[in-house]
Amino acid sequence: MKFCRLFILLFVIITTERLNAQENPASYKFPPRGKNDTIRVASTNDNGEMIPWMSLNEVVIYAERIFKSPADRAAYNRLRYNVLKVMPYALFAKRRYEQLERDLALTTDRKEHKKLVKQCDQEIKQMFKTEIKELTITQGQILTKLIDREVGRTTYEIVKETQGGVKAFLYQSVARVVGHNLKSTYNPEEERDIEAIIASSGFYRQ
């Protein structure tokens, strides 16, 4: 009987110690942390309470488009292919002319201006010779619009500013023969399909 009481007493003592350890987190020994166990986040003080938070990349969800007919779907797929084909060229033109404008702003020397313009023109021409000349008429038409979209000026205006009005007229005359128009402008309201394609393409994602 005495042994039974002693056993019960030891059981109560052990159980009490375990409960005290659970109630007091400070008495619990956590395993050592590694260098990748800590995540640094920003925090905001809300009435004395520090609330951790982190920013997430924007997630854009597009509804699946429903087409009236297989022909409409095929036409949209062709447009998507053509836009994705020429969009890198429009972005290249945008970056190159932005760089040209920055370079021109840093010097007032006329000879240096001509040198910078000539260098930019040669780079654009090289791109035309190696790749753009292989574009179809439809792709060329889309490209001239996208250049206006990205650069803020038509292809005709860019040629006129860098090469003069005579060359711009000559280029426009040649372009018209093969179905292009260097004066084509871009209207987002009229080109909603192209806008949707560009928005979902990932060209502007970081």
Side-chain angles (χ1 to χ4, degrees):
M1 188 68 177
K2 290 182 179 180
F3 177 77
C4 182
R5 289 178 180 178
L6 180 61
F7 178 79
I8 294 174
L9 179 60
L10 290 174
F11 177 78
V12 171
I13 292 174
I14 294 173
T15 304
T16 303
E17 289 296 328
R18 288 182 177 178
L19 290 175
N20 289 336
Q22 292 177 359
E23 293 175 358
N24 185 11
S27 65
Y28 179 78
K29 295 183 179 180
F30 292 93
R33 295 184 177 181
K35 62 179 181 179
N36 297 323
D37 291 338
T38 301
I39 301 176
R40 297 183 180 274
V41 298
S43 61
T44 300
N45 190 331
D46 184 14
N47 295 325
E49 180 181 0
M50 300 302 295
I51 302 176
W53 58 271
M54 64 176 61
S55 59
L56 301 176
N57 294 331
E58 180 183 7
V59 177
V60 181
I61 300 176
Y62 297 95
E64 182 178 358
R65 181 165 179 169
I66 299 176
F67 297 92
K68 295 180 179 179
S69 66
D72 288 342
R73 178 184 293 275
Y76 180 83
N77 289 338
R78 285 195 301 271
L79 177 62
R80 177 178 175 81
Y81 173 82
N82 290 332
V83 170
L84 298 182
K85 175 76 174 180
V86 303
M87 188 62 182
Y89 302 133
L91 292 175
F92 173 82
K94 175 184 179 180
R95 292 191 296 267
R96 191 59 188 88
Y97 282 111
E98 286 178 346
Q99 181 64 47
L100 175 62
E101 290 179 347
R102 289 193 295 267
D103 293 340
L104 292 177
L106 295 177
T107 179
T108 56
D109 186 83
R110 295 185 62 182
K111 290 185 178 180
E112 185 66 19
H113 272 224
K114 290 182 178 180
K115 179 181 177 181
L116 292 171
V117 170
K118 183 178 180 180
Q119 181 180 358
C120 178
D121 184 59
Q122 288 176 343
E123 291 183 18
I124 297 296
K125 283 182 178 179
Q126 183 63 29
M127 184 176 65
F128 269 87
K129 289 179 181 179
T130 57
E131 299 184 43
I132 294 182
K133 69 177 183 178
E134 303 296 334
L135 298 180
T136 65
I137 292 177
T138 300
Q139 291 169 351
Q141 292 170 343
I142 295 174
L143 177 59
T144 55
K145 290 184 178 181
L146 292 182
I147 288 178
D148 180 58
R149 179 185 189 273
E150 297 300 322
V151 182
R153 298 189 298 277
T154 65
T155 306
Y156 181 87
E157 291 171 338
I158 293 174
V159 175
K160 185 177 180 180
E161 291 175 7
T162 58
Q163 298 296 312
V166 175
K167 282 194 175 182
F169 175 79
L170 293 175
Y171 287 172
Q172 171 70 345
S173 300
V174 175
R176 296 296 286 178
V177 171
V178 295
H180 296 289
N181 181 9
L182 302 184
K183 296 182 179 180
S184 296
T185 58
Y186 187 83
N187 187 335
E189 293 298 323
E190 296 177 357
E191 307 292 350
R192 293 182 179 180
D193 284 344
I194 294 180
E195 281 293 300
I197 292 170
I198 294 174
S200 61
S201 64
F203 282 112
Y204 295 99
R205 294 173 188 169
Q206 300 295 326

Short mmCIF file of all heavy atoms in Angstrom, two decimals, residues 33-70:
data_model
loop_
_atom_site.label_atom_id
_atom_site.label_comp_id
_atom_site.label_asym_id
_atom_site.label_seq_id
_atom_site.Cartn_x
_atom_site.Cartn_y
_atom_site.Cartn_z
N ARG A 33 19.20 26.66 -34.76
CA ARG A 33 18.72 27.12 -36.06
C ARG A 33 19.87 27.21 -37.06
O ARG A 33 20.98 27.59 -36.70
CB ARG A 33 18.04 28.48 -35.94
CG ARG A 33 16.77 28.46 -35.10
CD ARG A 33 16.12 29.82 -35.10
NE ARG A 33 14.87 29.81 -34.36
CZ ARG A 33 14.07 30.87 -34.22
NH1 ARG A 33 14.43 32.02 -34.79
NH2 ARG A 33 12.96 30.80 -33.54
N GLY A 34 19.55 26.89 -38.29
CA GLY A 34 20.52 27.02 -39.36
C GLY A 34 20.45 28.40 -40.00
O GLY A 34 19.57 29.20 -39.69
N LYS A 35 21.36 28.68 -40.94
CA LYS A 35 21.42 30.00 -41.55
C LYS A 35 20.21 30.27 -42.45
O LYS A 35 19.90 31.42 -42.75
CB LYS A 35 22.70 30.14 -42.37
CG LYS A 35 22.80 29.16 -43.53
CD LYS A 35 24.09 29.37 -44.30
CE LYS A 35 24.18 28.41 -45.48
NZ LYS A 35 25.43 28.62 -46.25
N ASN A 36 19.51 29.21 -42.88
CA ASN A 36 18.35 29.39 -43.76
C ASN A 36 17.02 29.32 -43.01
O ASN A 36 15.97 29.30 -43.62
CB ASN A 36 18.37 28.33 -44.87
CG ASN A 36 19.58 28.48 -45.77
OD1 ASN A 36 20.01 29.58 -46.06
ND2 ASN A 36 20.13 27.35 -46.21
N ASP A 37 17.07 29.25 -41.67
CA ASP A 37 15.84 29.14 -40.90
C ASP A 37 15.20 30.49 -40.60
O ASP A 37 14.07 30.55 -40.15
CB ASP A 37 16.12 28.42 -39.57
CG ASP A 37 16.46 26.95 -39.79
OD1 ASP A 37 16.09 26.43 -40.85
OD2 ASP A 37 17.07 26.34 -38.90
N THR A 38 15.94 31.58 -40.83
CA THR A 38 15.43 32.92 -40.53
C THR A 38 15.03 33.62 -41.82
O THR A 38 15.82 33.69 -42.76
CB THR A 38 16.49 33.75 -39.80
OG1 THR A 38 16.85 33.09 -38.58
CG2 THR A 38 15.94 35.15 -39.48
N ILE A 39 13.81 34.11 -41.86
CA ILE A 39 13.30 34.85 -43.01
C ILE A 39 13.12 36.31 -42.60
O ILE A 39 12.32 36.61 -41.71
CB ILE A 39 11.98 34.28 -43.52
CG1 ILE A 39 12.16 32.81 -43.92
CG2 ILE A 39 11.44 35.08 -44.71
CD1 ILE A 39 10.88 32.14 -44.35
N ARG A 40 13.86 37.20 -43.22
CA ARG A 40 13.75 38.62 -42.89
C ARG A 40 12.58 39.23 -43.66
O ARG A 40 12.49 39.09 -44.88
CB ARG A 40 15.04 39.35 -43.24
CG ARG A 40 16.25 38.88 -42.44
CD ARG A 40 17.49 39.69 -42.79
NE ARG A 40 18.63 39.24 -42.03
CZ ARG A 40 18.93 39.68 -40.80
NH1 ARG A 40 18.15 40.58 -40.22
NH2 ARG A 40 19.99 39.23 -40.17
N VAL A 41 11.68 39.87 -42.94
CA VAL A 41 10.52 40.50 -43.55
C VAL A 41 10.37 41.91 -43.01
O VAL A 41 10.94 42.26 -41.97
CB VAL A 41 9.23 39.68 -43.29
CG1 VAL A 41 9.33 38.30 -43.91
CG2 VAL A 41 8.95 39.57 -41.79
N ALA A 42 9.60 42.72 -43.72
CA ALA A 42 9.29 44.07 -43.24
C ALA A 42 8.23 43.97 -42.15
O ALA A 42 7.57 42.92 -41.98
CB ALA A 42 8.79 44.93 -44.39
N SER A 43 8.06 45.04 -41.40
CA SER A 43 7.06 45.03 -40.33
C SER A 43 6.45 46.42 -40.18
O SER A 43 7.06 47.42 -40.56
CB SER A 43 7.67 44.58 -39.00
OG SER A 43 8.71 45.47 -38.61
N THR A 44 5.25 46.45 -39.65
CA THR A 44 4.52 47.70 -39.42
C THR A 44 4.09 47.77 -37.97
O THR A 44 3.57 46.78 -37.42
CB THR A 44 3.29 47.79 -40.33
OG1 THR A 44 3.72 47.73 -41.71
CG2 THR A 44 2.53 49.08 -40.10
N ASN A 45 4.30 48.91 -37.34
CA ASN A 45 3.91 49.11 -35.95
C ASN A 45 2.44 49.51 -35.89
O ASN A 45 2.07 50.60 -36.31
CB ASN A 45 4.78 50.18 -35.29
CG ASN A 45 4.58 50.25 -33.79
OD1 ASN A 45 3.51 49.93 -33.27
ND2 ASN A 45 5.62 50.67 -33.08
N ASP A 46 1.61 48.62 -35.41
CA ASP A 46 0.17 48.87 -35.30
C ASP A 46 -0.21 48.96 -33.83
O ASP A 46 -0.43 47.95 -33.16
CB ASP A 46 -0.61 47.76 -35.99
CG ASP A 46 -2.12 48.03 -36.00
OD1 ASP A 46 -2.53 49.17 -35.70
OD2 ASP A 46 -2.89 47.09 -36.29
N ASN A 47 -0.25 50.20 -33.31
CA ASN A 47 -0.61 50.44 -31.90
C ASN A 47 0.29 49.65 -30.96
O ASN A 47 -0.16 49.01 -29.99
CB ASN A 47 -2.07 50.09 -31.64
CG ASN A 47 -3.03 50.99 -32.39
OD1 ASN A 47 -2.76 52.19 -32.58
ND2 ASN A 47 -4.13 50.42 -32.86
N GLY A 48 1.59 49.68 -31.25
CA GLY A 48 2.54 49.01 -30.38
C GLY A 48 2.81 47.56 -30.72
O GLY A 48 3.71 46.95 -30.14
N GLU A 49 2.05 47.01 -31.62
CA GLU A 49 2.25 45.61 -32.02
C GLU A 49 2.93 45.57 -33.39
O GLU A 49 2.44 46.16 -34.34
CB GLU A 49 0.92 44.87 -32.07
CG GLU A 49 1.06 43.41 -32.48
CD GLU A 49 -0.29 42.70 -32.55
OE1 GLU A 49 -1.32 43.36 -32.28
OE2 GLU A 49 -0.30 41.51 -32.88
N MET A 50 4.06 44.88 -33.47
CA MET A 50 4.79 44.77 -34.72
C MET A 50 4.20 43.64 -35.57
O MET A 50 4.17 42.48 -35.15
CB MET A 50 6.27 44.50 -34.46
CG MET A 50 6.96 45.61 -33.65
SD MET A 50 6.85 47.24 -34.43
CE MET A 50 7.80 46.97 -35.91
N ILE A 51 3.68 44.01 -36.73
CA ILE A 51 3.04 43.05 -37.62
C ILE A 51 3.96 42.81 -38.81
O ILE A 51 4.21 43.72 -39.60
CB ILE A 51 1.67 43.56 -38.10
CG1 ILE A 51 0.77 43.84 -36.89
CG2 ILE A 51 1.02 42.55 -39.06
CD1 ILE A 51 -0.57 44.43 -37.26
N PRO A 52 4.48 41.59 -38.97
CA PRO A 52 5.35 41.30 -40.11
C PRO A 52 4.55 41.18 -41.40
O PRO A 52 3.39 40.78 -41.40
CB PRO A 52 5.99 39.96 -39.73
CG PRO A 52 4.98 39.31 -38.84
CD PRO A 52 4.31 40.43 -38.08
N TRP A 53 5.17 41.55 -42.51
CA TRP A 53 4.52 41.42 -43.81
C TRP A 53 5.60 41.35 -44.90
O TRP A 53 6.74 41.70 -44.68
CB TRP A 53 3.59 42.60 -44.10
CG TRP A 53 4.25 43.94 -44.07
CD1 TRP A 53 4.42 44.76 -42.99
CD2 TRP A 53 4.85 44.63 -45.18
NE1 TRP A 53 5.09 45.91 -43.34
CE2 TRP A 53 5.37 45.86 -44.69
CE3 TRP A 53 5.00 44.32 -46.52
CZ2 TRP A 53 6.01 46.77 -45.50
CZ3 TRP A 53 5.66 45.23 -47.34
CH2 TRP A 53 6.14 46.45 -46.82
N MET A 54 5.23 40.86 -46.05
CA MET A 54 6.14 40.81 -47.19
C MET A 54 5.35 41.08 -48.46
O MET A 54 4.15 40.76 -48.54
CB MET A 54 6.85 39.45 -47.28
CG MET A 54 5.94 38.27 -47.53
SD MET A 54 6.86 36.72 -47.75
CE MET A 54 7.68 36.59 -46.17
N SER A 55 6.00 41.71 -49.42
CA SER A 55 5.34 42.03 -50.69
C SER A 55 5.46 40.84 -51.63
O SER A 55 6.46 40.12 -51.63
CB SER A 55 5.99 43.26 -51.34
OG SER A 55 7.36 43.03 -51.58
N LEU A 56 4.43 40.63 -52.42
CA LEU A 56 4.38 39.53 -53.37
C LEU A 56 4.30 40.09 -54.78
O LEU A 56 3.81 41.19 -55.00
CB LEU A 56 3.17 38.63 -53.09
CG LEU A 56 3.10 37.99 -51.71
CD1 LEU A 56 1.80 37.20 -51.56
CD2 LEU A 56 4.30 37.07 -51.47
N ASN A 57 4.81 39.34 -55.74
CA ASN A 57 4.71 39.75 -57.13
C ASN A 57 3.26 39.76 -57.58
O ASN A 57 2.44 38.95 -57.13
CB ASN A 57 5.51 38.79 -58.02
CG ASN A 57 7.00 38.88 -57.76
OD1 ASN A 57 7.50 39.94 -57.36
ND2 ASN A 57 7.71 37.79 -57.97
N GLU A 58 2.94 40.70 -58.44
CA GLU A 58 1.58 40.82 -58.94
C GLU A 58 1.21 39.59 -59.77
O GLU A 58 2.01 39.10 -60.58
CB GLU A 58 1.44 42.07 -59.81
CG GLU A 58 0.03 42.25 -60.37
CD GLU A 58 -0.07 43.46 -61.28
OE1 GLU A 58 0.98 44.06 -61.57
OE2 GLU A 58 -1.18 43.81 -61.70
N VAL A 59 0.04 39.08 -59.52
CA VAL A 59 -0.47 37.94 -60.28
C VAL A 59 -1.70 38.40 -61.06
O VAL A 59 -2.68 38.84 -60.47
CB VAL A 59 -0.85 36.77 -59.36
CG1 VAL A 59 -1.44 35.62 -60.17
CG2 VAL A 59 0.37 36.29 -58.59
N VAL A 60 -1.61 38.34 -62.37
CA VAL A 60 -2.71 38.78 -63.23
C VAL A 60 -3.40 37.55 -63.80
O VAL A 60 -2.75 36.67 -64.39
CB VAL A 60 -2.22 39.68 -64.38
CG1 VAL A 60 -3.39 40.14 -65.23
CG2 VAL A 60 -1.46 40.87 -63.81
N ILE A 61 -4.69 37.46 -63.61
CA ILE A 61 -5.46 36.32 -64.10
C ILE A 61 -6.35 36.79 -65.25
O ILE A 61 -7.11 37.74 -65.12
CB ILE A 61 -6.33 35.74 -62.97
CG1 ILE A 61 -5.44 35.26 -61.81
CG2 ILE A 61 -7.18 34.57 -63.50
CD1 ILE A 61 -6.21 34.76 -60.62
N TYR A 62 -6.21 36.13 -66.37
CA TYR A 62 -6.98 36.48 -67.55
C TYR A 62 -8.03 35.40 -67.80
O TYR A 62 -7.75 34.21 -67.68
CB TYR A 62 -6.08 36.59 -68.79
CG TYR A 62 -5.05 37.68 -68.69
CD1 TYR A 62 -3.76 37.40 -68.24
CD2 TYR A 62 -5.35 38.99 -69.03
CE1 TYR A 62 -2.80 38.39 -68.14
CE2 TYR A 62 -4.40 40.00 -68.93
CZ TYR A 62 -3.13 39.69 -68.49
OH TYR A 62 -2.19 40.69 -68.39
N ALA A 63 -9.23 35.87 -68.11
CA ALA A 63 -10.29 34.93 -68.42
C ALA A 63 -10.04 34.28 -69.77
O ALA A 63 -9.43 34.88 -70.66
CB ALA A 63 -11.64 35.64 -68.42
N GLU A 64 -10.46 33.06 -69.90
CA GLU A 64 -10.29 32.37 -71.17
C GLU A 64 -11.23 32.99 -72.21
O GLU A 64 -12.42 33.15 -71.97
CB GLU A 64 -10.61 30.88 -71.02
CG GLU A 64 -10.40 30.09 -72.28
CD GLU A 64 -10.68 28.61 -72.10
OE1 GLU A 64 -10.99 28.23 -70.95
OE2 GLU A 64 -10.59 27.86 -73.08
N ARG A 65 -10.65 33.34 -73.34
CA ARG A 65 -11.44 34.00 -74.38
C ARG A 65 -12.29 32.99 -75.12
O ARG A 65 -11.83 31.88 -75.44
CB ARG A 65 -10.52 34.72 -75.36
CG ARG A 65 -11.27 35.44 -76.46
CD ARG A 65 -10.39 36.43 -77.16
NE ARG A 65 -11.10 37.11 -78.22
CZ ARG A 65 -10.62 38.17 -78.87
NH1 ARG A 65 -9.44 38.65 -78.53
NH2 ARG A 65 -11.30 38.74 -79.83
N ILE A 66 -13.53 33.37 -75.37
CA ILE A 66 -14.45 32.52 -76.11
C ILE A 66 -14.64 33.11 -77.51
O ILE A 66 -15.02 34.27 -77.65
CB ILE A 66 -15.81 32.42 -75.39
CG1 ILE A 66 -15.60 31.80 -73.99
CG2 ILE A 66 -16.79 31.56 -76.20
CD1 ILE A 66 -16.89 31.76 -73.17
N PHE A 67 -14.36 32.32 -78.51
CA PHE A 67 -14.45 32.78 -79.89
C PHE A 67 -15.77 32.34 -80.51
O PHE A 67 -16.32 31.28 -80.17
CB PHE A 67 -13.28 32.23 -80.72
CG PHE A 67 -11.94 32.72 -80.25
CD1 PHE A 67 -11.22 32.00 -79.32
CD2 PHE A 67 -11.42 33.91 -80.74
CE1 PHE A 67 -9.99 32.45 -78.89
CE2 PHE A 67 -10.18 34.37 -80.30
CZ PHE A 67 -9.47 33.64 -79.37
N LYS A 68 -16.26 33.16 -81.45
CA LYS A 68 -17.53 32.85 -82.09
C LYS A 68 -17.42 31.67 -83.05
O LYS A 68 -18.40 30.96 -83.27
CB LYS A 68 -18.05 34.09 -82.84
CG LYS A 68 -18.39 35.26 -81.93
CD LYS A 68 -18.90 36.44 -82.75
CE LYS A 68 -19.25 37.62 -81.84
NZ LYS A 68 -19.74 38.79 -82.63
N SER A 69 -16.24 31.51 -83.62
CA SER A 69 -16.07 30.45 -84.61
C SER A 69 -14.62 30.01 -84.64
O SER A 69 -13.73 30.75 -84.18
CB SER A 69 -16.50 30.93 -85.99
OG SER A 69 -15.62 31.96 -86.45
N PRO A 70 -14.34 28.84 -85.19
CA PRO A 70 -12.95 28.41 -85.35
C PRO A 70 -12.13 29.37 -86.20
O PRO A 70 -10.93 29.53 -85.98
CB PRO A 70 -13.08 27.04 -86.03
CG PRO A 70 -14.43 26.55 -85.63
CD PRO A 70 -15.29 27.79 -85.56
#
